[in-house]
Amino acid sequence: MFVSRVLLVRTSSHLMGRQQTLGKFLEMPRGAKPAPPQQSNLFEMWKGGKRKTGTEPKKEIKEELIKVEIKEEEDRKMDVDKPGESSKETEIVKNGPSAAKRRRIVDSDDDEPSSSVAQAINSSLPGTSPPASRASSPHSSRSPEPKRKRKGKAVAAAESSRAESGTAATSDPSDDDGEEEVEKDELDEDEGITAVEGAAASKTHSRGCSVADKRSRYTWWMEVFLSVPYSALAKTFSLIESTTKRLEKNAYLTSFLLLVIQRSAQDDYKSLLQTVYLCINRLSPDYEGIELGIGESLLIKAIAESTGRSLTVIKADLKREGDLGLVAMNSKSSQKTLFKPKPLTLPFVFSHLKEIATTAGHSSQAKKVSIITKLLAACQDIEAKYIIRSLEGKLRIGNAERSVLVAVAHAIVLAEKEKANKRWSNEKLAKRLEEATLMIKSVYSELPTYDKVIPALLGVGVDRLKEICKLTPGVPLKPMLAKPTKAIGEVLDRFENQHFTCEYKYDGERAQVHMLENGTVGVFSRNSEDMSKKYPDLVDQLPKCIKETTKSFVLDAEAVAIDRTTLKLMPFQELSRRKRKDVKMEDIQVRVCLFAFDLLYLNGEPLLQKPLSERRKLLRDHFQPISGEFDFAKSSDAESTEQIQSFLEDSVKDGCEGLMVKMLDSEASYYEPSRRSVNWLKLKKDYLAGVGDSLDLVVVGGYYGKGKRTNVYGAFLLACYDEDSETYQTICKIGTGFSDEMLQSHYKELKPLELEKVRGDISVGGAKPDVWFEPKVVWEVLTADLSLSPIYTAAQGVVEERGISLRFPRFIRVRDDKNADDATQPDLIAEMYKRQALAQKDSKKKGGDDDSFW
């Protein structure tokens, strides 16, 4: 017991010393705002050279060690089981070997950490080399440590026990140099733990300390000192939230991710993977459909149960604060507890959040409340704030997913630099950071799943990432989008002297269809949502459209409602009448036809880097149309204004929205995932009529109706979504385009979403609706014009200090296929404003820049 306890204390103190780097990084003076890093370039943070891997234990920890050793010595002297034991031990100490061999604690139980992790633990014991992290070469040799001047009492006790039981091992000269020596001790097959020393373990058992007790302490030690502490992630979130400067946000997150990589075992990728998921507030890839978004009432109940406060008090606090995360944090800070809970670790939080998201069925609400209560009970300081926000579905720290990807790229490069142990010039480091960022963004746009990208990054590095991570059937990629244009003349200006094609723009739902080599078919939305259960008829009829030469593919297409009798296309409103979940073939009333317009993958080969003309030919060679079920998008390669005008009129007569105009040849025609590109232009009938562009906006507020609109909402406050700041920015009040039936329907849908106070992530401006809504419902709205407004906050500061608002907005339809985060972004609204004739008096703009997810 003596040896094992001192080993535990010494190891713990050593690791506590090693973790001072993270503490210094996150430490903030009381009552003072942390000084932000002065960063013109990110690499200035790491100009100081390679980070030290270990630090000397603090003075108070050394004093605690001495106290523990004295206490153990007193306990040993009080043991009277064997007379004369003390004198024997004294003699053995005097005549014993000069150094004791260090032993590893090995555990073969599957629930315990892997052997590589255990090796990292034991190598961090005092007197041994630091653990081999990802930042250091796995093949680097351990440097010997200088010979100790005197032997500690723990070593003496170990020698006495070994000599007393007759199991003393022979000494090796390398022990004097501090080299670690591993001896093959017999494993306890029943318990799976190797004894620290034969006689010492025997004495431990005789004193009543069971192996199970040792396992419990060992497991706790592993969990605390090897897992990423959730408090560190919460502090990082707090630092990111405290600044509006993008470079500072990126610096904080990069520094934290780098520390996670450095402290991970050689084969551990889960630490970084789980950290990234929590930073983007997701638990899995989009197509798996695991979402949080727990309701406000459920969270209020959990906070009340965990803190002992009443629901009335918590609701009053929420009305005052407007942020349930702050309410939870304040409630925890005022709560007194008898015992300090074990610190939360990131794996523990991640697994419990996933359990909450996947809990379903009978009594699922009660189970969720129970798990949330358990999490909150263990929270300290600001942890409750971010756990509640994660459960709500919004972190509100102003850090978009693309910023997280940049931080991952920078952290990986800096870890590689430290591993190589070479000095790089500032120019080389800056270039390397930029190259890595572009590479990871490109790969993630083709294979948007961190489950595959993060392990590949840690395994093969940035340079070989594209060899491992490619477009894969079954993993939906973000679709390529088109820029709006208001005149055929703009189209001809953009594609002057270029080959282009015009296709019907169907009034349906974007569908990305995948077929794996085993024949499995999946249908995904533009948001990567799995719609296979929504469209079982598509999955059923697709095999009939495939030729024998087609083994696997990824199609980009549009699912359109169709009358199978007349083969007439029906508007999107008819398609939206279909059930979204658990659709049975016999219950389907609205039939769907799939119109394919692009082929992204065929028989094991990605086609993204091939011209559209070649992709289109392959599409038509490997698929066959079936009337009313599958067809190719109708196209025309016309190049004159008259021909385009005639084709546009035909598309409108056939029930389409207008035309898609696409570059046909050259590199400009390559498929660009997740990008809104000028190489694709959309030309709608409404644009030509001078009505303007349509926008997808979120309903965030309502105004009570008057007259015949009494008892329903008569008008609504709409907002766009800024993914950089994670805020909804108000843009207009809308009250036209609604029938009485529509108003009744909207009232029923929005009434349950009413809030007592506006959410903190809604940028209100001067708008004053009668009620606020939780941002969930998306509407497509048509506008005649855009103007500057001192009341609304959309794109505020982009064009002018005033925001942008819509003039004469008119409701078109509900966008059930879009989430609130998919609403039109402020930068696109600002660009639309600049494109207006009044804003372009002196210049005519040709084309424009691409808008990217990144």
Side-chain angles (χ1 to χ4, degrees), residues 85-238:
E85 184 179 48
S86 299
S87 60
K88 288 182 180 179
E89 289 174 353
T90 305
E91 183 179 353
I92 293 171
V93 169
K94 292 180 180 179
N95 303 322
S98 59
K101 296 180 179 180
R102 298 167 186 83
R103 305 274 183 152
R104 290 182 185 172
I105 301 174
V106 182
D107 195 318
S108 62
D109 191 67
D110 292 339
D111 293 334
E112 301 294 342
S114 62
S115 58
S116 60
V117 178
Q119 184 176 354
I121 299 168
N122 289 286
S123 60
S124 65
L125 291 172
T128 62
S129 302
S133 68
R134 295 189 184 279
S136 60
S137 173
H139 304 294
S140 60
S141 59
R142 301 179 185 270
S143 58
E145 189 176 304
K147 183 177 179 180
R148 299 181 183 273
K149 291 184 178 180
R150 62 188 181 88
K151 191 182 307 178
K153 295 183 179 181
V155 177
E159 291 169 1
S160 67
S161 299
R162 188 160 50 243
E164 183 179 280
S165 59
T167 59
T170 57
S171 178
D172 190 275
S174 62
D175 285 341
D176 293 338
D177 294 331
E179 289 287 332
E180 180 183 39
E181 176 177 333
V182 182
E183 295 194 2
K184 297 181 179 179
D185 296 330
E186 289 186 0
L187 290 175
D188 185 335
E189 294 179 356
D190 295 331
E191 300 297 338
I193 295 181
T194 301
V196 178
E197 294 289 340
S202 178
K203 287 185 67 178
T204 300
H205 281 288
S206 66
R207 291 177 183 176
C209 180
S210 67
V211 175
D213 185 41
K214 292 197 326 184
R215 178 192 296 275
S216 175
R217 286 183 294 164
Y218 173 66
T219 305
W220 174 84
W221 179 78
M222 294 280 289
E223 183 178 332
V224 170
F225 291 105
L226 288 183
S227 298
V228 179
Y230 184 75
S231 59
L233 180 63
K235 178 67 79 171
T236 305
F237 285 163
S238 179

Side-chain angles (χ1 to χ4, degrees), residues 317-532:
D317 288 350
L318 177 59
K319 192 171 184 179
R320 183 179 64 255
E321 297 286 354
D323 183 351
L324 201 54
L326 287 175
V327 173
M329 182 180 70
N330 295 337
S331 299
K332 285 292 296 180
S333 63
S334 61
Q335 182 185 25
K336 296 181 179 180
T337 56
L338 292 175
F339 303 101
K340 188 175 182 180
K342 288 184 180 180
L344 286 174
T345 63
L346 192 142
F348 181 85
V349 173
F350 183 86
S351 63
H352 280 70
L353 291 180
K354 200 162 188 176
E355 185 180 356
I356 292 168
T358 54
T359 298
H362 181 66
S363 302
S364 60
Q365 299 296 319
K367 292 176 183 176
K368 289 181 179 181
V369 170
S370 175
I371 300 170
I372 297 170
T373 303
K374 180 180 178 182
L375 276 175
L376 292 177
C379 286
Q380 301 176 39
D381 299 327
I382 59 174
E383 293 175 340
K385 174 182 177 181
Y386 294 105
I387 284 181
I388 289 296
R389 285 185 177 181
S390 292
L391 290 166
E392 283 185 302
K394 289 288 179 187
L395 281 175
R396 304 181 203 172
I397 60 175
N399 208 49
E401 183 177 359
R402 57 186 176 185
S403 300
V404 175
L405 267 177
V406 172
V408 170
H410 289 184
I412 290 291
V413 169
L414 294 168
E416 289 180 352
K417 172 181 176 290
E418 187 172 291
K419 181 178 179 179
N421 197 22
K422 294 181 180 179
R423 287 188 174 274
W424 290 356
S425 65
N426 292 346
E427 292 75 15
K428 180 179 179 181
L429 180 55
K431 182 180 178 182
R432 182 64 177 159
L433 291 173
E434 183 178 357
E435 289 174 350
T437 301
L438 292 175
M439 173 67 74
I440 293 176
K441 285 180 177 180
S442 174
V443 168
Y444 185 75
S445 66
E446 292 184 25
L447 190 69
T449 167
Y450 294 104
D451 289 352
K452 296 182 182 295
V453 174
I454 294 297
L457 266 176
L458 296 176
V460 302
V462 175
D463 294 333
R464 294 183 55 204
L465 187 60
K466 276 201 170 183
E467 299 176 17
I468 307 297
C469 298
K470 299 178 181 178
L471 172 59
T472 305
V475 180
L477 65 163
K478 299 291 183 182
M480 184 175 177
L481 304 174
K483 286 266 190 176
T485 185
K486 295 182 69 172
I488 294 177
E490 288 186 29
V491 174
L492 296 177
D493 288 342
R494 171 68 187 93
F495 295 121
E496 187 177 4
N497 300 323
Q498 301 286 340
H499 293 289
F500 63 90
T501 186
C502 300
E503 297 175 349
Y504 275 14
K505 187 181 189 310
Y506 293 94
D507 189 13
E509 185 172 10
R510 190 81 170 260
Q512 194 176 112
V513 185
H514 293 234
M515 189 181 85
L516 283 62
E517 291 187 0
N518 61 7
T520 303
V521 175
V523 182
F524 301 94
S525 71
R526 59 184 290 157
N527 304 318
S528 302
E529 177 188 356
D530 191 347
M531 300 193 300
S532 304

Side-chain angles (χ1 to χ4, degrees), residues 759-817:
R759 278 183 27 165
D761 56 347
I762 298 177
S763 180
V764 177
K768 297 179 180 179
D770 296 321
V771 293
W772 293 100
F773 299 130
E774 188 175 344
K776 281 194 173 181
V777 178
V778 180
W779 289 350
E780 182 178 352
V781 175
L782 205 60
T783 180
D785 206 351
L786 296 153
S787 62
L788 295 174
S789 169
I791 297 176
Y792 302 109
T793 61
Q796 195 171 48
V798 178
V799 178
E800 278 192 14
E801 290 303 315
R802 292 177 291 174
I804 296 175
S805 67
L806 307 186
R807 294 184 63 205
F808 312 114
R810 181 163 57 89
F811 172 80
I812 301 298
R813 60 180 175 177
V814 178
R815 294 302 302 260
D816 291 325
D817 60 323

Side-chain angles (χ1 to χ4, degrees), residues 671-713:
Y671 193 92
E672 303 172 88
S674 71
R675 182 179 293 274
R676 189 179 294 275
S677 173
V678 294
N679 297 321
W680 282 16
L681 299 179
K682 54 183 177 181
L683 189 63
K684 289 186 178 181
K685 55 186 177 183
D686 294 326
Y687 302 169
L688 300 183
V691 179
D693 195 8
S694 63
L695 304 169
D696 297 320
L697 302 174
V698 187
V699 187
V700 295
Y703 300 83
Y704 293 128
K706 298 179 182 179
K708 67 176 184 177
R709 292 188 175 184
T710 305
N711 299 324
V712 295
Y713 306 121

